Amino acid sequence: MHRLVLAALLALTGAGAPVTAQPIDYAAERAAIGRYQDADQRLQDVGWQLAAANAPYCPRVVPGIGLQLQDMASYGVPAIARAALGLTRDFAVQTAARGSPAARAGVFTRNREIVRLERFDPNHWPAGSAMDWQRLVKAHDHVEAMLTEHGGITIGFADGAEARVQPVPVCATRFELMGEGRKAVADGSRVVIGMGFPAFDYPEEEVFAALVAHELAHNVLGHDAWLDRNGRSARNVRRIEREADRLVPWLLANAGYDPAAAVTFMTRWGSAHDAGLKLRRTHEGWDERAEAMAAELPAVRAWLTAEGQADWAQQFRREINPAESAARTGRR
Ligand SMILES: [Zn+2]
């Protein structure tokens, strides 16, 4: 539902195309993929910084190296994507998140072809003919399994070089960029953000980070599972939205961002999209949401000054009882 779909690739090869073959503009395809990769880099950099810095407080932590792969099978027309990027196989480096073990290794350059993840060559795994995103998930799952079982992974490149990378603990959330759409969602294990989300255009990294932190907050506070157990009433959604908003300054502060960027984000995004928000009973007005975020700042700053970190696992006041499970009413 949210996987990589590049408009340029579809426009050139879609069902509406004339039967006579059009020449493929590979430079345009490469540029479109490049824009997607730039946006993904921005998301992975910010996501990594938040997930690594807040690992001491997250309820579930996994070993991570900050490496994002790409698989040509996930494109609408893999052969075009492969040719546009000059690849002979399907797997290559997408991003190495800034400051991550993968980035520090210095060898995971964009589009560098990968032929080995520990003992397996993922290019040999079967894939569908187009839009197959499952194989990329399998590759990332495999990397995580190797890190968990062996405390590291050896990754081989098509040119014969290889690198051994050791992980660090990160909050158990994966960050995924959707090739289209303006939505941002958190499903418990992933944060998925559409390339069209307005915050991608915000120049300040910390203001974009506030959006990512809001979605990460839903996962680390267990909101999706809580809503599953207690129902997605407008009242319940308002409560978890408020709780996610209020955690944003804490997550930002630990990651080295100005916690007040939370308020800047909500004010800028909310005032630009106010009309749409007012129609939704599940969300408070953006001004109330910005106020709730601002109200956290004194505590966050006090903990930063005293401890150098803002321990939200201990100090954050919850809006919900995370263990709560509504009695069955028979209504659902
Ligand atoms: Zn939310």
Side-chain angles (χ1 to χ4, degrees), residues 214-215 218 241 289:
H214 171 95
E215 298 303 329
H218 282 310
E241 288 302 332
R289 298 180 68 181

Coordinates of all heavy atoms in Angstrom, one line a residue, residues 214-215 218 241 289, ligand 1:
H214 N 7.2 12.5 16.2 CA 5.8 12.3 16.5 C 5.4 10.8 16.1 O 4.8 10.1 16.9 CB 4.9 13.3 15.8 CG 3.4 13.0 15.9 ND1 2.6 13.6 16.9 CD2 2.6 12.2 15.2 CE1 1.4 13.1 16.8 NE2 1.4 12.3 15.8
E215 N 5.8 10.4 14.9 CA 5.4 9.1 14.5 C 6.2 8.0 15.3 O 5.6 7.0 15.7 CB 5.7 8.9 13.0 CG 4.9 9.8 12.1 CD 3.4 9.7 12.3 OE1 3.0 8.6 12.6 OE2 2.7 10.8 12.1
H218 N 4.5 7.3 18.6 CA 3.4 6.4 18.6 C 3.9 4.9 18.8 O 3.3 4.1 19.5 CB 2.7 6.4 17.2 CG 1.7 7.6 17.1 ND1 0.8 7.9 18.0 CD2 1.6 8.5 16.1 CE1 0.1 9.0 17.6 NE2 0.5 9.4 16.5
E241 N -2.9 10.8 20.3 CA -2.2 11.9 19.6 C -1.6 12.9 20.5 O -0.5 13.4 20.3 CB -3.2 12.6 18.6 CG -3.7 11.7 17.4 CD -2.5 11.3 16.5 OE1 -1.5 12.0 16.5 OE2 -2.6 10.2 15.9
R289 N -2.5 21.7 20.3 CA -1.4 20.7 20.2 C 0.0 21.3 20.4 O 0.8 20.8 21.1 CB -1.5 19.9 18.9 CG -2.8 19.2 18.7 CD -2.8 18.5 17.4 NE -1.9 17.4 17.3 CZ -1.7 16.6 16.2 NH1 -2.4 16.8 15.1 NH2 -0.8 15.6 16.2
Ligands
ZN1 ZN -0.1 10.9 15.2

